[in-house]
Amino acid sequence: MHSYSGGVAALAIMCGLAAGSVRAAEPEVNASLLYQDNVSRADLEADRESDLFARAAVGVQTGSAVGLRGALWARGDAGAEAAFSFDDLSRAHLGGELGGSYKIGVGPRAPRLELVVPLEHAWFGDADRNRWLAQPTVRLRKRLSEAFDLEAFIRHEAAEAGARLFNAEGQEGGLLVRWRGEGAWSLLAGYRLRDGDVVAYATPPRPDLVAEADVIVTDRKTFDDPMNGYRLEARTHRVHVGAGFALDEQSMLEAGYEWQDTRAGDLQYDDHLVHLGWRRAF
């Protein structure tokens, strides 16, 4: 899962941090509620399950300027997520990332190119889901005006789990637009496209899913009724809108909604996610 190129990038970032003038650590805490109306990723209403999650996390970041246009940073974080209905989906995680950026040009509106190498380990209520997750990402950020920012990204993800059903690879790209006014409000809207592995659940018999799946596990007891788990290669479209309200210079309330549409052969399901959160930087 860990590529040679990712290791070289991480080593270069650590060397740059060691050589530069490192900023003091910047801690942050956040807490949120997330409602997801199709955690089973089911296409039939009878198999569709929803859940509410309470989440909390703490992170700390430090960084260093490199010349006039470059920057390097390192971040560590830890958190937990408790599912109200299905204990198998609860998790705790520990992770971090190394990143570097380069400003292409001069002036406040010059684009900035970033390379980020995140790595995370998560422990779930269901040990089969315990996994390492790597998501090397390339981002391009551009300030369009005093109020609008644009971000484009592409990433590769690789997950190695306790059971083969939950091993996953995929590629994702997207665009995000942010608006920040002179007052306390900020808005964002984004679109993402992902091609990669998903695990969908269904009550058998489902010969259509058997034909598409590369891994099938029968009689999974994650939800109220046992269902089969099917790992499929799918395409997912995601549309996200959100808003933030600054309570002061360090704290913010956030709200967001995301719609997802996933298709793999004859399988098609949607998912709706609603997020309410609070974060504070120190």
Side-chain angles (χ1 to χ4, degrees):
M1 181 180 67
H2 308 291
S3 67
Y4 174 77
S5 58
V8 170
L11 180 61
I13 291 169
M14 287 188 291
C15 290
L17 284 170
S21 176
V22 179
R23 296 196 310 266
E26 301 170 350
E28 178 186 274
V29 296
N30 65 78
S32 64
L33 289 173
L34 173 69
Y35 173 76
Q36 186 173 353
D37 84 332
N38 192 6
V39 291
S40 54
R41 300 190 178 102
D43 61 336
L44 300 181
E45 190 64 32
D47 295 331
R48 197 176 180 109
E49 300 283 2
S50 62
D51 209 341
L52 179 68
F53 301 87
R55 306 187 295 180
V58 59
V60 62
Q61 180 168 316
T62 186
S64 172
V66 180
L68 296 177
R69 300 185 184 181
L72 299 171
W73 66 88
R75 178 180 175 85
D77 60 81
E81 183 174 297
F84 280 56
S85 298
F86 304 112
D87 291 341
D88 283 2
L89 304 182
S90 297
R91 71 184 186 109
H93 75 270
L94 182 65
E97 71 174 37
L98 297 172
S101 68
Y102 181 77
K103 191 174 183 180
I104 307 170
V106 296
R109 298 188 186 179
R112 183 174 290 275
L113 184 65
E114 299 180 349
L115 170 64
V116 186
V117 185
L119 182 64
E120 174 192 278
H121 186 71
W123 297 265
F124 286 80
D126 173 12
D128 285 349
R129 298 172 181 266
N130 294 352
R131 58 163 168 77
W132 285 98
L133 175 65
Q135 295 179 303
T137 303
V138 177
R139 286 195 295 252
L140 183 67
R141 299 180 186 269
K142 175 76 169 70
R143 174 170 288 185
L144 302 177
S145 67
E146 291 299 317
F148 286 95
D149 295 326
L150 176 68
E151 176 185 318
F153 76 90
I154 185 169
R155 73 163 56 101
H156 175 78
E157 64 180 52
E160 185 176 331
R164 185 165 171 254
L165 177 67
F166 301 108
N167 290 345
E169 288 198 23
Q171 294 77 39
E172 185 176 47
L175 289 170
L176 182 67
V177 178
R178 292 186 179 89
W179 171 84
R180 295 181 179 88
E182 294 182 357
W185 286 98
S186 60
L187 302 173
L188 63 86
Y191 167 78
R192 293 185 287 168
L193 175 65
R194 181 184 183 274
D195 285 319
D197 298 318
V198 299
V199 177
Y201 292 86
T203 302
R206 289 296 301 269
D208 55 333
L209 298 185
V210 171
E212 295 289 339
D214 63 348
V215 179
I216 302 171
V217 176
T218 61
D219 202 30
R220 295 286 305 179
K221 295 180 174 62
T222 299
F223 304 106
D224 291 334
D225 297 314
M227 290 189 280
N228 290 358
Y230 303 86
R231 191 180 73 181
L232 313 102
E233 187 172 343
R235 169 164 289 185
T236 301
H237 301 270
R238 302 180 179 183
V239 177
H240 178 86
V241 293
F245 182 81
L247 300 173
D248 52 42
E249 293 184 355
Q250 296 175 299
S251 301
M252 176 173 286
L253 295 177
E254 299 173 329
Y257 166 77
E258 181 170 295
W259 169 78
Q260 301 180 2
D261 176 82
T262 300
R263 299 170 187 263
D266 293 332
L267 173 74
Q268 187 277 326
Y269 65 84
D270 64 0
D271 200 356
H272 303 267
L273 298 89
V274 178
H275 164 265
L276 296 172
W278 165 86
R279 67 178 59 248
R280 179 175 175 82
F282 295 91

Coordinates of all heavy atoms in Angstrom, one line a residue, residues 9-85:
A9 N 8.4 11.5 -1.1 CA 7.8 12.8 -0.9 C 7.7 13.1 0.6 O 8.0 14.2 1.0 CB 6.4 12.8 -1.5
A10 N 7.4 12.1 1.4 CA 7.3 12.3 2.9 C 8.7 12.6 3.4 O 8.8 13.5 4.3 CB 6.7 11.0 3.5
L11 N 9.7 11.9 2.9 CA 11.1 12.1 3.4 C 11.5 13.5 3.1 O 12.2 14.2 3.9 CB 12.0 11.1 2.8 CG 13.5 11.2 3.2 CD1 13.7 11.1 4.7 CD2 14.4 10.2 2.5
A12 N 11.2 14.0 1.8 CA 11.6 15.3 1.4 C 10.9 16.4 2.3 O 11.5 17.4 2.7 CB 11.2 15.6 0.0
I13 N 9.6 16.2 2.6 CA 8.9 17.1 3.5 C 9.5 17.2 4.9 O 9.7 18.3 5.4 CB 7.4 16.8 3.5 CG1 6.8 17.0 2.1 CG2 6.7 17.6 4.6 CD1 5.4 16.4 2.0
M14 N 9.8 16.0 5.5 CA 10.4 16.0 6.8 C 11.8 16.7 6.8 O 12.1 17.4 7.7 CB 10.5 14.6 7.3 CG 9.2 14.0 7.7 SD 9.3 12.3 8.5 CE 9.9 11.3 7.1
C15 N 12.6 16.5 5.8 CA 13.9 17.2 5.7 C 13.7 18.7 5.6 O 14.5 19.4 6.2 CB 14.7 16.6 4.5 SG 15.2 14.9 4.7
G16 N 12.7 19.1 4.8 CA 12.5 20.5 4.7 C 12.0 21.1 6.0 O 12.4 22.2 6.4
L17 N 11.2 20.4 6.8 CA 10.8 20.9 8.1 C 12.0 21.1 9.0 O 12.1 22.0 9.8 CB 9.7 20.0 8.7 CG 8.3 20.1 8.1 CD1 7.5 19.0 8.6 CD2 7.7 21.4 8.5
A18 N 12.9 20.1 9.0 CA 14.0 20.1 9.8 C 14.9 21.3 9.5 O 15.6 21.9 10.4 CB 14.8 18.8 9.7
A19 N 15.0 21.6 8.2 CA 15.9 22.7 7.8 C 15.4 24.1 7.9 O 16.1 25.0 8.1 CB 16.3 22.4 6.3
G20 N 14.0 24.2 8.0 CA 13.4 25.5 8.0 C 13.1 26.0 9.4 O 13.5 25.4 10.4
S21 N 12.5 27.2 9.5 CA 12.1 27.8 10.7 C 10.7 27.3 11.1 O 9.8 27.7 10.4 CB 12.2 29.3 10.7 OG 11.7 29.9 11.8
V22 N 10.6 26.4 12.0 CA 9.3 25.7 12.3 C 8.4 26.6 13.1 O 8.9 27.1 14.2 CB 9.6 24.3 12.9 CG1 8.3 23.6 13.2 CG2 10.5 23.5 12.0
R23 N 7.1 26.7 12.7 CA 6.2 27.4 13.5 C 5.8 26.6 14.8 O 5.9 25.4 14.8 CB 4.9 27.7 12.7 CG 5.1 28.5 11.5 CD 3.7 29.0 11.0 NE 2.8 27.9 10.9 CZ 2.5 27.3 9.8 NH1 3.2 27.6 8.7 NH2 1.6 26.3 9.7
A24 N 5.3 27.3 15.8 CA 4.8 26.7 17.0 C 3.6 25.8 16.6 O 2.8 26.1 15.6 CB 4.4 27.7 18.0
A25 N 3.4 24.7 17.3 CA 2.2 23.8 17.0 C 0.9 24.6 17.2 O 0.7 25.4 18.1 CB 2.3 22.6 18.0
E26 N 0.0 24.3 16.3 CA -1.3 24.9 16.2 C -2.4 23.8 16.5 O -2.8 23.1 15.5 CB -1.5 25.6 14.9 CG -0.5 26.7 14.6 CD -0.6 27.2 13.2 OE1 -1.3 26.6 12.4 OE2 0.1 28.2 12.9
P27 N -2.9 23.7 17.7 CA -3.9 22.7 18.0 C -5.3 23.1 17.5 O -5.6 24.3 17.4 CB -3.9 22.5 19.5 CG -3.3 23.8 20.0 CD -2.4 24.3 18.9
E28 N -6.2 22.1 17.3 CA -7.6 22.4 16.9 C -8.4 21.2 17.5 O -8.0 20.1 17.5 CB -7.7 22.4 15.4 CG -9.1 22.7 14.9 CD -9.2 22.6 13.4 OE1 -9.0 23.6 12.8 OE2 -9.5 21.5 12.9
V29 N -9.7 21.6 17.9 CA -10.6 20.5 18.3 C -11.9 20.8 17.5 O -12.2 21.9 17.1 CB -10.9 20.6 19.8 CG1 -9.7 20.3 20.6 CG2 -11.5 22.0 20.2
N30 N -12.6 19.7 17.3 CA -13.9 19.8 16.6 C -14.9 18.7 17.1 O -14.4 17.6 17.6 CB -13.8 19.7 15.1 CG -13.2 18.4 14.6 OD1 -14.0 17.4 14.5 ND2 -12.0 18.3 14.3
A31 N -16.1 19.0 17.0 CA -17.2 18.0 17.4 C -18.3 18.2 16.4 O -18.6 19.3 16.0 CB -17.7 18.2 18.8
S32 N -19.0 17.1 16.1 CA -20.1 17.2 15.1 C -21.1 16.0 15.2 O -20.8 15.0 15.9 CB -19.5 17.2 13.7 OG -18.8 16.0 13.4
L33 N -22.2 16.2 14.6 CA -23.2 15.2 14.4 C -23.4 15.0 12.9 O -23.4 15.9 12.1 CB -24.6 15.6 15.0 CG -24.7 15.6 16.5 CD1 -26.1 16.1 16.9 CD2 -24.5 14.2 17.1
L34 N -23.4 13.7 12.5 CA -23.6 13.4 11.1 C -24.7 12.4 10.9 O -24.7 11.3 11.6 CB -22.3 12.7 10.5 CG -22.4 12.2 9.1 CD1 -22.6 13.3 8.1 CD2 -21.2 11.3 8.7
Y35 N -25.7 12.7 10.1 CA -26.8 11.8 9.8 C -26.6 11.3 8.3 O -26.4 12.0 7.4 CB -28.2 12.5 9.9 CG -29.3 11.6 9.4 CD1 -29.8 10.5 10.2 CD2 -29.9 11.8 8.1 CE1 -30.8 9.7 9.7 CE2 -30.9 10.9 7.7 CZ -31.3 9.9 8.5 OH -32.3 9.1 8.0
Q36 N -26.7 9.9 8.2 CA -26.5 9.3 6.9 C -27.7 8.4 6.6 O -28.0 7.5 7.5 CB -25.2 8.5 6.8 CG -24.9 8.0 5.4 CD -23.5 7.3 5.4 OE1 -22.7 7.4 6.3 NE2 -23.2 6.7 4.3
D37 N -28.4 8.6 5.5 CA -29.7 7.8 5.4 C -29.5 6.5 4.6 O -30.5 5.8 4.4 CB -30.7 8.7 4.7 CG -30.6 8.7 3.2 OD1 -29.5 8.5 2.6 OD2 -31.7 9.0 2.5
N38 N -28.3 6.1 4.2 CA -28.1 4.9 3.5 C -26.7 4.3 3.9 O -25.9 4.1 3.0 CB -28.3 5.0 2.0 CG -28.4 3.7 1.3 OD1 -28.4 2.6 1.9 ND2 -28.4 3.7 0.0
V39 N -26.5 4.0 5.1 CA -25.2 3.4 5.5 C -25.0 2.0 5.0 O -23.9 1.5 4.9 CB -25.1 3.4 7.1 CG1 -24.9 4.8 7.6 CG2 -26.2 2.7 7.7
S40 N -26.1 1.3 4.6 CA -26.0 0.0 4.0 C -25.7 0.0 2.5 O -25.5 -1.0 1.9 CB -27.2 -0.8 4.3 OG -28.4 -0.1 3.8
R41 N -25.7 1.2 1.9 CA -25.4 1.4 0.5 C -26.3 0.4 -0.3 O -25.9 -0.2 -1.2 CB -24.0 1.2 0.2 CG -23.0 2.1 0.9 CD -21.6 2.0 0.3 NE -20.7 2.9 0.9 CZ -19.8 2.6 1.8 NH1 -19.7 1.3 2.2 NH2 -19.0 3.5 2.3
A42 N -27.6 0.4 0.0 CA -28.5 -0.5 -0.6 C -29.3 0.2 -1.7 O -29.7 1.4 -1.6 CB -29.5 -1.1 0.5
D43 N -29.7 -0.6 -2.7 CA -30.5 0.0 -3.8 C -32.0 -0.3 -3.6 O -32.8 0.4 -4.2 CB -30.0 -0.6 -5.2 CG -30.2 -2.1 -5.3 OD1 -30.2 -2.8 -4.2 OD2 -30.2 -2.6 -6.4
L44 N -32.3 -1.3 -2.7 CA -33.7 -1.6 -2.5 C -34.1 -0.9 -1.1 O -33.4 -1.0 -0.1 CB -34.0 -3.1 -2.4 CG -33.6 -3.8 -3.7 CD1 -33.9 -5.3 -3.6 CD2 -34.4 -3.2 -4.9
E45 N -35.3 -0.4 -1.1 CA -35.8 0.3 0.1 C -35.8 -0.6 1.3 O -35.5 -0.2 2.5 CB -37.2 0.9 -0.1 CG -37.7 1.8 1.0 CD -36.8 3.1 1.1 OE1 -36.3 3.5 0.0 OE2 -36.7 3.6 2.2
A46 N -36.1 -1.9 1.1 CA -36.2 -2.9 2.3 C -34.9 -3.1 2.9 O -34.8 -3.5 4.1 CB -36.8 -4.2 1.8
D47 N -33.8 -2.9 2.2 CA -32.4 -3.1 2.7 C -31.7 -1.8 3.2 O -30.6 -1.8 3.7 CB -31.5 -3.7 1.6 CG -32.0 -5.1 1.3 OD1 -32.6 -5.8 2.1 OD2 -31.7 -5.6 0.1
R48 N -32.4 -0.7 3.0 CA -31.8 0.6 3.3 C -31.8 0.9 4.8 O -32.9 0.7 5.5 CB -32.6 1.7 2.6 CG -31.9 3.0 2.4 CD -32.8 3.9 1.6 NE -32.2 5.2 1.4 CZ -31.7 5.7 0.3 NH1 -31.7 4.9 -0.8 NH2 -31.1 6.9 0.2
E49 N -30.7 1.2 5.4 CA -30.5 1.5 6.8 C -29.9 2.9 7.0 O -29.0 3.3 6.2 CB -29.7 0.4 7.5 CG -30.2 -1.0 7.4 CD -31.4 -1.2 8.4 OE1 -31.8 -0.3 9.1 OE2 -31.9 -2.4 8.4
S50 N -30.3 3.6 8.0 CA -29.8 4.9 8.3 C -29.2 4.9 9.7 O -29.5 4.0 10.5 CB -30.9 6.0 8.2 OG -31.9 5.8 9.1
D51 N -28.3 5.9 10.0 CA -27.7 6.0 11.3 C -27.3 7.5 11.6 O -27.1 8.3 10.6 CB -26.5 5.1 11.4 CG -26.3 4.6 12.8 OD1 -26.8 5.3 13.8 OD2 -25.6 3.6 13.0
L52 N -27.1 7.7 12.8 CA -26.6 9.0 13.3 C -25.3 8.8 14.0 O -25.2 7.9 14.8 CB -27.7 9.7 14.2 CG -27.3 11.0 14.8 CD1 -27.3 12.1 13.8 CD2 -28.3 11.4 15.9
F53 N -24.3 9.7 13.7 CA -23.0 9.5 14.3 C -22.7 10.8 15.1 O -22.9 11.9 14.7 CB -22.0 9.3 13.2 CG -22.2 8.1 12.4 CD1 -23.0 8.2 11.2 CD2 -21.6 6.9 12.7 CE1 -23.2 7.1 10.4 CE2 -21.8 5.8 11.9 CZ -22.6 5.9 10.8
A54 N -22.1 10.6 16.3 CA -21.5 11.7 17.1 C -20.0 11.5 17.0 O -19.4 10.5 17.2 CB -21.9 11.6 18.5
R55 N -19.4 12.7 16.6 CA -17.9 12.6 16.3 C -17.2 13.7 17.0 O -17.7 14.8 17.2 CB -17.7 12.8 14.7 CG -18.5 11.8 13.9 CD -18.2 11.9 12.4 NE -18.5 13.2 11.8 CZ -18.3 13.5 10.6 NH1 -17.7 12.7 9.8 NH2 -18.6 14.7 10.1
A56 N -16.0 13.4 17.4 CA -15.1 14.4 18.1 C -13.6 14.0 17.7 O -13.3 12.9 17.5 CB -15.2 14.3 19.6
A57 N -12.8 15.1 17.5 CA -11.4 14.9 17.1 C -10.6 16.0 17.6 O -11.1 17.1 17.8 CB -11.3 14.8 15.6
V58 N -9.3 15.8 17.7 CA -8.3 16.8 18.1 C -7.1 16.7 17.1 O -6.8 15.5 16.7 CB -7.9 16.7 19.5 CG1 -7.3 15.3 19.8 CG2 -6.9 17.8 19.9
G59 N -6.6 17.8 16.7 CA -5.5 17.8 15.8 C -4.5 18.8 16.1 O -4.8 19.8 16.8
V60 N -3.2 18.7 15.7 CA -2.2 19.6 15.9 C -1.3 19.7 14.6 O -1.1 18.7 14.0 CB -1.4 19.3 17.1 CG1 -0.6 18.0 17.0 CG2 -0.4 20.4 17.4
Q61 N -1.0 20.9 14.2 CA -0.2 21.1 13.0 C 0.9 22.1 13.2 O 0.8 23.0 14.0 CB -1.1 21.6 11.9 CG -0.4 21.9 10.6 CD -1.4 22.1 9.4 OE1 -2.4 21.5 9.3 NE2 -1.1 23.1 8.6
T62 N 2.0 21.8 12.6 CA 3.2 22.7 12.6 C 3.7 22.8 11.2 O 3.4 21.9 10.3 CB 4.3 22.2 13.5 OG1 5.3 23.2 13.6 CG2 4.9 20.9 13.1
G63 N 4.4 23.9 10.9 CA 4.9 24.0 9.5 C 6.1 25.0 9.4 O 6.5 25.6 10.4
S64 N 6.6 25.1 8.2 CA 7.8 26.0 8.0 C 7.7 26.6 6.6 O 7.3 25.9 5.6 CB 9.0 25.1 8.1 OG 10.2 25.8 7.7
A65 N 8.1 27.8 6.4 CA 8.2 28.4 5.1 C 9.5 28.0 4.5 O 10.5 27.7 5.2 CB 8.2 30.0 5.2
V66 N 9.4 27.8 3.2 CA 10.6 27.4 2.4 C 10.8 28.4 1.3 O 10.1 28.4 0.3 CB 10.4 26.0 1.8 CG1 11.7 25.6 1.0 CG2 10.2 24.9 2.9
G67 N 11.8 29.3 1.5 CA 12.0 30.3 0.5 C 10.8 31.3 0.5 O 10.1 31.4 1.5
L68 N 10.6 32.0 -0.6 CA 9.6 33.0 -0.7 C 8.2 32.4 -1.1 O 7.2 33.0 -0.9 CB 10.0 34.1 -1.6 CG 11.2 34.9 -1.2 CD1 11.5 35.9 -2.4 CD2 11.0 35.7 0.1
R69 N 8.3 31.2 -1.7 CA 7.0 30.7 -2.3 C 6.6 29.3 -1.8 O 5.5 28.9 -2.1 CB 7.2 30.6 -3.8 CG 7.5 31.9 -4.5 CD 7.5 31.7 -6.0 NE 7.8 33.0 -6.7 CZ 7.9 33.1 -8.1 NH1 7.6 32.0 -8.8 NH2 8.2 34.2 -8.6
G70 N 7.5 28.7 -1.0 CA 7.2 27.3 -0.6 C 6.8 27.2 0.9 O 7.0 28.2 1.7
A71 N 6.2 26.1 1.2 CA 5.8 25.9 2.6 C 5.7 24.4 2.8 O 5.4 23.6 1.9 CB 4.5 26.5 3.0
L72 N 6.0 23.9 4.0 CA 5.9 22.5 4.4 C 5.2 22.4 5.7 O 5.3 23.4 6.5 CB 7.3 21.9 4.6 CG 8.2 21.8 3.3 CD1 9.6 21.4 3.7 CD2 7.6 20.9 2.3
W73 N 4.5 21.3 5.9 CA 3.8 21.2 7.2 C 3.6 19.7 7.6 O 3.7 18.8 6.7 CB 2.4 21.9 7.2 CG 1.4 21.2 6.2 CD1 0.6 20.2 6.5 CD2 1.2 21.6 4.9 NE1 -0.2 19.9 5.4 CE2 0.2 20.8 4.4 CE3 1.7 22.6 4.0 CZ2 -0.3 20.8 3.1 CZ3 1.3 22.7 2.7 CH2 0.3 21.8 2.3
A74 N 3.4 19.5 8.9 CA 3.1 18.1 9.4 C 1.9 18.3 10.3 O 1.8 19.2 11.1 CB 4.3 17.6 10.1
R75 N 1.0 17.3 10.3 CA -0.2 17.3 11.1 C -0.4 15.9 11.7 O -0.2 14.9 11.0 CB -1.4 17.7 10.3 CG -2.7 17.7 11.0 CD -3.9 18.2 10.1 NE -5.1 18.1 10.9 CZ -5.6 19.0 11.7 NH1 -4.9 20.1 11.8 NH2 -6.8 18.8 12.3
G76 N -0.9 15.9 12.9 CA -1.3 14.7 13.6 C -2.7 14.9 14.1 O -3.1 16.0 14.5
D77 N -3.5 13.8 14.1 CA -4.9 13.9 14.7 C -5.4 12.6 15.2 O -4.9 11.5 14.8 CB -5.9 14.5 13.6 CG -6.0 13.6 12.4 OD1 -6.7 12.6 12.5 OD2 -5.3 13.9 11.4
A78 N -6.3 12.7 16.1 CA -7.0 11.5 16.7 C -8.4 11.8 16.9 O -8.8 13.0 17.2 CB -6.3 11.1 18.0
G79 N -9.3 10.8 16.8 CA -10.7 11.1 17.0 C -11.5 9.8 17.2 O -11.0 8.7 17.1
A80 N -12.8 10.0 17.4 CA -13.7 8.9 17.6 C -15.0 9.2 17.0 O -15.4 10.4 16.9 CB -13.8 8.5 19.1
E81 N -15.8 8.2 16.6 CA -17.1 8.4 16.0 C -18.0 7.3 16.5 O -17.7 6.1 16.3 CB -16.9 8.3 14.4 CG -18.2 8.5 13.6 CD -17.9 8.5 12.2 OE1 -17.2 9.4 11.7 OE2 -18.4 7.6 11.5
A82 N -19.1 7.6 17.2 CA -20.0 6.7 17.8 C -21.3 6.6 17.0 O -21.9 7.6 16.8 CB -20.3 7.1 19.2
A83 N -21.6 5.4 16.5 CA -22.9 5.2 15.8 C -24.0 4.9 16.8 O -23.8 4.2 17.7 CB -22.7 4.0 14.8
F84 N -25.1 5.6 16.6 CA -26.2 5.5 17.5 C -27.0 4.1 17.3 O -27.5 3.6 18.3 CB -27.2 6.6 17.3 CG -26.8 7.9 18.0 CD1 -25.6 8.5 17.7 CD2 -27.6 8.5 18.9 CE1 -25.2 9.7 18.4 CE2 -27.3 9.7 19.6 CZ -26.0 10.3 19.3
S85 N -27.0 3.6 16.1 CA -27.8 2.4 15.9 C -27.0 1.1 15.6 O -27.4 0.1 16.1 CB -28.7 2.6 14.6 OG -29.6 3.7 14.9

